[in-house]
Amino acid sequence: PAAGQVAAPAARVTIDHSAFDALLRAHAADGLVDYDAFRQAPSFRRYLTLLERASLDGADEQERLAFWLNAYNAYTIQLIVTHGERESIRQINRTFGVLRLKGPWSEPLVRAAGRRLTLDDVEHRILRREFHDPRIHFALVSASKGSPPLRAEAYTGAALERQLFDQGG
């Protein structure tokens, strides 16, 4: 800026999670998910593409945390949809005798922010390592009866503090 002028504040970088939010509001209730509705929804495929192409450059910590929480939960849904497993997520990529598969959380299906990852990578190498918020545990949904219920709304940077407080309460 010229002398005597104040620089305009930088625009806040946000990721649009509205498609995922609409799907969650319509197809997730009381911790239950209509996986067939997600499988059939073109907006879910578009949202996964948005996650893959998203850039987190310039995003603040709240926005990045919301992004990775949504990516984890969306790709957990995608894992179930891809494999068609409805009884137990633990049946996916299960170990059979000498054939050692690594389980559902080790399949490299997550494509987010230009990276290819497993759900374990997102949880342990990104969320737990980069963000030191114990409430993350209550926000990650592993599609099992013992996991926290899936929120019927997407996480957003602007609402994250309220959402994590509510989810952990």
Side-chain angles (χ1 to χ4, degrees):
Q5 292 181 338
V6 177
R12 180 180 173 165
V13 172
T14 60
I15 307 295
D16 182 8
H17 299 287
S18 61
F20 191 44
D21 187 73
L23 286 163
L24 289 170
R25 289 177 188 278
H27 305 297
D30 301 321
L32 300 176
V33 177
D34 182 347
Y35 293 107
D36 291 329
F38 276 88
R39 181 177 50 77
Q40 295 168 3
S43 59
F44 186 54
R45 289 185 293 282
R46 286 192 300 272
Y47 179 69
L48 296 178
T49 300
L50 178 145
L51 292 176
E52 181 177 5
R53 295 179 181 165
S55 171
L56 299 176
D57 293 342
D60 66 20
E61 184 171 324
Q62 298 293 91
E63 194 66 34
R64 291 189 330 272
L65 178 52
F67 175 87
W68 288 113
L69 292 171
N70 287 327
Y72 184 93
N73 290 337
Y75 275 100
T76 297
I77 292 169
Q78 180 62 16
L79 180 72
I80 299 293
V81 165
T82 299
H83 290 277
E85 177 60 49
R86 299 296 192 270
E87 292 301 313
S88 173
I89 193 171
R90 295 180 187 280
Q91 298 288 3
I92 298 171
N93 299 332
R94 195 173 147 185
T95 301
F96 295 103
V98 294
L99 179 61
R100 296 201 154 266
L101 301 171
K102 297 180 179 181
W105 298 280
S106 297
E107 184 174 322
L109 84 148
V110 178
R111 293 175 186 224
R115 300 165 73 179
R116 183 157 186 161
L117 306 159
T118 67
L119 290 169
D120 273 343
D121 291 335
V122 174
E123 179 179 359
H124 299 291
R125 293 185 185 160
I126 296 173
L127 286 166
R128 297 199 188 278
R129 190 175 291 165
E130 293 180 23
F131 307 96
H132 304 283
D133 190 327
R135 299 172 298 176
I136 289 170
H137 171 76
F138 301 108
L140 298 177
V141 177
S142 62
S144 63
K145 290 182 177 147
S147 78
L150 181 64
R151 285 186 76 78
E153 68 176 343
Y155 292 98
T156 65
L160 190 62
E161 189 58 36
R162 173 192 56 80
Q163 291 172 314
L164 289 176
F165 180 80
D166 181 54
Q167 196 71 8

